[in-house]
Amino acid sequence: MSDVLIWTLVAVVATVIIWRGSGLLESASERLAAYYQLPDIVQGAVIVAVGSSFPELSTTVISSLVHGEFELGVAAIVGSALFNILVIPALSGLASREPLKANRDLIYKEAQFYMIAVAVLTLTFSFAVIYQPLPSDTDGAIRGELTRYIALIPVALYGLYLFVQYQDTLDHEGAVDTREIRPGREWGMLALSLLVIVIGVEGLVRAAINFGEIFNTPSFLWGITVVAAGTSIPDAFVSIRAARNGRGITSIANVLGSNTFDLLVCIPAGVLIAGTAAINFSIAAPMMASLTAATVVLFLMMRTQMTLSKRECVALLVIYVAFLIWISAESFGVLDWVPSLPPATAN
């Protein structure tokens, strides 16, 4: 019991560190976006999204290089993406004084590009299984080796995404007074915030690994729940604050842009640095299916009347709780819908 309390405290402290570091990062990112006169949709979908996604990027890199737990990093990214899609828009909508508004640019560019990102990452995992297959263990799982060359596929798609966003900046004229913004100081604050976030993420990853050992469960479970929620808190604060200030488009754009960066850059980053990583496609496919379903639900809700109502926000939270119950039941052996996700007795 004492070990549980110690690592729970570590996880809480690490989350607070990430939150504080992300606050510095958010402030520096927003001021730099204003200085370089970027439009709101680009600020939310690229600048703030990439900044607030740095915890997820750190998770895959630290999990792969320091702890040899690439699957934990992938689980944290997928769990974070689900948290972003279901929980953050729901909390933002409930915190907003009026229904959270969207627009056609957000729905038909950001949301649909994000759906493409989900599909491309699934194809990337499939190519790893097809072209670099690994021997199956006794659990019969389908595995493959993700190499640097295969990992470049989603990164190339993110390059296309940046090109599309760049086109939106060409005709934009900023209306913010930038005379008091010192870019050198803001870049320094940005660098400091990234260092603080890395320290917090290391604490979360260590807590997840130890929870897996204490409860005799896959580290995958703690990556997709504890680490995912901890690294998503920065996105939550950014989006909720934007929604309360009447900037619903920036709020949702941050969520979609953050998830696009997570899937297309954060997951491949661990492979590009480490060289190779083993992929359990028998687990990855159901998780990507869950993420696809959650994305379609949010897309349909946003498309109806271009708003996210309070009732729809509650429905999103219910779906997320149902997902947590399902993945916990799988990990503890209560359910076996994902046969290669081992129950507690299998470890």
Side-chain angles (χ1 to χ4, degrees), residues 216-264:
N216 194 28
T217 56
S219 58
F220 171 89
L221 170 64
W222 306 100
I224 207 168
T225 54
V226 174
V227 179
T231 55
S232 291
I233 284 178
D235 289 318
F237 280 105
V238 170
S239 295
I240 291 171
R241 189 177 296 114
R244 287 187 61 84
N245 293 334
R247 295 184 291 122
I249 292 175
T250 301
S251 175
I252 300 178
N254 172 54
V255 168
L256 296 174
S258 177
N259 274 14
T260 300
F261 182 80
D262 288 350
L263 298 183
L264 298 182

Side-chain angles (χ1 to χ4, degrees), residues 15-132:
T15 300
V16 172
I17 291 173
I18 292 172
W19 173 64
R20 295 294 296 172
S22 298
L24 293 173
L25 187 148
E26 175 198 352
S27 175
S29 297
E30 287 183 347
R31 291 175 69 83
L32 286 171
Y35 180 80
Y36 293 111
Q37 300 184 355
L38 301 180
D40 285 348
I41 190 91
V42 176
Q43 178 182 338
V46 180
I47 303 301
V48 178
V50 171
S52 58
S53 288
F54 188 75
E56 286 90 335
L57 177 61
S58 303
T59 299
T60 54
V61 173
I62 291 175
S63 297
S64 302
L65 290 184
V66 180
H67 302 286
E69 291 268 0
F70 180 72
E71 254 186 29
L72 187 152
V74 173
I77 297 296
V78 174
S80 175
L82 281 164
F83 188 95
N84 290 352
I85 285 291
L86 296 174
V87 177
I88 294 180
L91 295 180
S92 298
L94 293 174
S96 178
R97 298 174 179 83
E98 56 187 25
L100 206 60
K101 295 181 180 180
N103 62 15
R104 291 184 179 276
D105 195 29
L106 187 66
I107 292 173
Y108 291 111
K109 188 181 74 171
E110 298 301 331
Q112 292 194 10
F113 201 100
Y114 172 60
M115 290 184 183
I116 295 173
V118 175
V120 167
L121 186 63
T122 305
L123 285 174
T124 301
F125 291 159
S126 302
F127 290 155
V129 172
I130 294 171
Y131 296 110
Q132 300 289 335

